[in-house]
């Protein structure tokens, strides 16, 4: 029995240490100064023709998928028009005229004739990933070599380019950013914030501090020439999740992925339980498919695991079980409260209950993630374990504006 108590205590200590370390690393990531070009070059990373350093003064093509966006989300997509400079281009991508965002995008473009922007319609089936099918035409039509592919529901602030280029060091072939939830209007939106902010973003930003940065599909800045040299958009079909595929592509080239010091906001508005469950289950299945060994250990990252170990560990540390339970809960969620406040992420009246519910859901989602192989993206049904489809085109060549 003593051995079991000792193991439970050691496991509890490891989990609490990891929780604190990732929170501190996230703060370090947000506050550390960008490395100079000389320092980056001295690190010995190769800069090949396909890993050409990014230049802040070169033209940029913003490729923005807008399939299935609601009215509020379309507003976020249109923020790309405010960020684009003279010489840049903005390419919105949808499947067809029936998409609810198309009319709003057309109206916005008519009001902003000074911006080099257009809407492309149609679909080339280059993979089983409908998002890649959607943006493929945008990459093909872009004039610039440097592309920023950004999901339509991500809000781009005025300093977007500064955030991206400050980490675009020599040897970096891809700059990305995880989303953080913003402006939740319901409890379940706050739960999604709890997943996005002090859970997913915390771990992803902490990994970047130690050189293990990996892309997030919400925002990808890379060169078309780098992608084209490796098979283009179709090459990303080797993974159902495009962020996993492009991360591996970059690492295989001996280059690096970097994350922005401050993530970009995704306005959430109203969410229901079903929406949050469906979305987080999709993420779980994609992570299980892309990183099965990492996914195996994910269940231990829920706050419910250290809390469940307190009755066994309490006698070993000489504390009443209830006292240890309260202390662990205060340390676990108190760390997240401090992190959220320091990073400017939402907390509010739902902050604590949302994280308790998130950690309970995380265990159930981890279990559910092992079963089933499909998900729904913007009304498109995707099977993640079937072979890639052969390319075929449903593109309407006249469907552009």
């Amino acid at each position: 029995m003593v051995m079991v108590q000792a193991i439970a205590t050691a496991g509890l200590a490891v989990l609490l240490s990891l929780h604190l370390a990732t929170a501190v690393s996230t703060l370090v990531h947000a506050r550390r100064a960008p490395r100079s070009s000389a320092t980056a070059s001295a690190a010995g990373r190769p800069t090949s023709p396909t890993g050409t350093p990014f230049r802040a003064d070169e033209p940029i093509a913003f490729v923005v998928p807008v399939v299935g966006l609601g009215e509020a989300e379309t507003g976020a997509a249109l923020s790309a028009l405010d960020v684009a400079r003279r010489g840049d281009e903005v390419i919105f991508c949808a499947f067809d005229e029936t998409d609810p965002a198309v009319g709003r995008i057309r109206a916005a473009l008519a009001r902003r004739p000074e911006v080099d922007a257009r809407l492309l319609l149609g679909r080339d089936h280059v993979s089983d990933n409908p998002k890649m099918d959607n943006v493929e035409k945008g990459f093909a039509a872009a004039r610039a070599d440097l592309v920023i592919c950004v999901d339509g529901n991500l809000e781009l602030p005025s300093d977007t380019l500064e955030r991206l280029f400050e980490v675009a060091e020599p040897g970096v072939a891809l700059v990305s950013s995880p989303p953080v939830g913003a402006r939740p209007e319901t409890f379940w939106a706050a739960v999604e914030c709890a997943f996005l902010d002090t859970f997913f973003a915390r771990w992803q930003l902490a990994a970047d501090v130690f050189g293990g940065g990996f892309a997030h599909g919400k925002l990808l800045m890379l060169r078309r020439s780098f992608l084209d040299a490796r098979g283009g958009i179709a090459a990303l079909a080797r993974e159902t999740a495009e962020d996993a595929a492009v991360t591996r592509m970059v690492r295989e080239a001996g280059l690096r992925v970097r994350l922005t010091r401050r993530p970009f906001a995704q306005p959430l508005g109203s969410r229901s339980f079903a929406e949050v469950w469906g979305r987080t289950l999709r993420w779980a299945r994609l992570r299980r498919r892309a990183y099965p060994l990492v996914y195996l250990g994910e269940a231990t990252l829920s706050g419910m695991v250290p809390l469940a170990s307190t009755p066994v560990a309490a006698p070993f540390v000489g504390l009443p079980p209830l006292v240890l339970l309260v202390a662990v809960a205060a340390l676990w969620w108190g760390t997240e409260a401090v992190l959220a406040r320091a990073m400017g992420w939402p907390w509010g009246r739902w902050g604590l209950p949302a994280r308790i519910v998130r950690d309970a859901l995380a265990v159930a989602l981890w279990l559910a993630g092992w079963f089933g192989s499909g998900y729904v993206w913007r009304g498109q049904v995707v099977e993640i374990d079937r072979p890639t489809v052969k390319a075929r085109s449903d593109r309407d060549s006249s469907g552009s504006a």
Side-chain angles (χ1 to χ4, degrees):
M1 185 62 183
V2 174
M3 179 64 71
V4 173
Q5 293 173 349
I7 293 173
T9 302
L12 177 59
V14 168
L15 292 175
L16 290 175
S17 297
L18 278 174
H19 196 68
L20 289 169
T22 52
V24 171
S25 297
T26 299
L27 294 174
V28 169
H29 185 278
R31 285 158 175 75
R32 68 178 180 180
R35 297 167 64 189
S36 67
S37 297
T39 303
S41 297
R45 299 286 183 177
T47 48
S48 64
T50 51
T52 305
F54 301 125
R55 301 193 325 272
D57 61 346
E58 65 180 301
I60 298 171
F62 293 83
V63 176
V64 188
V66 295
V67 171
L69 296 187
E71 185 172 357
E73 292 175 315
T74 304
L78 293 172
S79 64
L81 299 175
D82 299 320
V83 174
R85 310 158 302 181
R86 183 180 297 274
D88 294 341
E89 57 185 325
V90 182
I91 304 172
F92 297 100
C93 300
F95 287 141
D96 55 54
E97 288 282 359
T98 64
D99 193 283
V102 166
R104 291 187 285 269
I105 296 293
R106 288 195 190 282
L109 297 187
R111 295 193 298 270
R112 300 290 299 274
E114 76 281 4
V115 181
D116 182 1
R118 48 192 161 148
L119 171 67
L120 300 183
L121 303 179
R123 179 174 187 174
D124 274 4
H125 293 259
V126 297
S127 73
D128 281 335
N129 184 334
K131 178 180 168 183
M132 291 297 96
D133 286 355
N134 187 29
V135 301
E136 181 273 338
K137 56 185 172 287
F139 273 77
R143 295 187 297 272
D145 186 44
L146 185 56
V147 175
I148 297 175
C149 183
V150 54
D151 278 9
N153 57 8
L154 200 67
E155 198 169 64
L156 299 182
S158 59
D159 65 345
T160 291
L161 298 182
E162 287 84 350
R163 294 193 197 186
L164 293 169
F165 283 108
E166 71 180 358
V167 296
E169 309 153 350
V172 171
L174 174 65
V175 178
S176 185
S177 174
V180 290
R183 301 194 290 279
E185 296 175 0
T186 62
F187 173 74
W188 289 109
V191 172
E192 185 166 329
C193 268
F195 274 108
L196 292 174
D197 301 357
T198 54
F199 190 74
F200 294 136
R202 170 171 56 87
W203 276 98
Q204 195 165 355
L205 296 175
D208 193 50
V209 170
F210 297 100
F214 52 94
H216 196 294
K218 280 291 176 185
L219 187 147
L220 304 170
M221 183 173 81
L222 74 168
R223 292 194 176 280
R224 281 196 308 145
S225 56
F226 174 84
L227 192 59
D228 290 345
R230 289 156 180 82
I233 288 289
L236 301 184
R238 65 179 179 175
E239 298 280 355
T240 303
E242 73 279 359
D243 40 23
V246 75
T247 296
R248 289 181 179 172
M249 189 181 289
V250 169
R251 290 177 178 171
E252 288 170 0
L255 299 167
R256 291 180 296 150
V257 176
R258 283 299 313 274
L259 303 183
T260 58
R261 293 191 302 123
R262 290 169 294 156
F264 295 95
Q266 177 184 340
L268 297 182
S270 177
R271 290 284 194 270
S272 66
F273 167 76
E275 289 172 322
V276 174
W277 175 267
R279 188 173 287 107
T280 48
L281 180 58
R282 168 166 59 91
W283 300 337
R285 286 174 174 165
L286 289 171
R287 293 194 306 276
R288 184 261 299 169
R289 176 68 172 79
Y291 305 106
L293 293 180
V294 174
Y295 187 75
L296 191 63
E298 269 195 23
T300 62
L301 306 182
S302 164
M304 295 300 147
V305 175
L307 292 177
S309 69
T310 56
V312 181
F316 192 83
V317 298
L319 290 174
L322 182 59
V323 172
L324 184 59
L325 177 70
V326 172
V328 168
L331 181 60
W332 192 269
W333 291 311
T335 297
E336 294 196 34
V338 172
L339 176 62
R341 181 177 180 84
M343 296 294 291
W345 297 342
W347 188 267
R349 69 183 187 276
W350 289 318
L352 178 58
R355 278 153 183 83
I356 294 172
V357 170
R358 175 207 66 196
D359 283 340
L361 282 177
V363 177
L365 285 162
W366 180 81
L367 290 170
W370 288 105
F371 304 97
S373 60
Y375 66 87
V376 178
W377 179 84
R378 303 289 182 183
Q380 307 289 314
V381 179
V382 182
E383 290 292 331
I384 67 175
D385 293 323
R386 72 184 181 189
T388 303
V389 298
K390 293 183 179 180
R392 64 185 189 276
S393 179
D394 296 335
R395 186 178 300 174
D396 177 2
S397 60
S398 65
S400 60

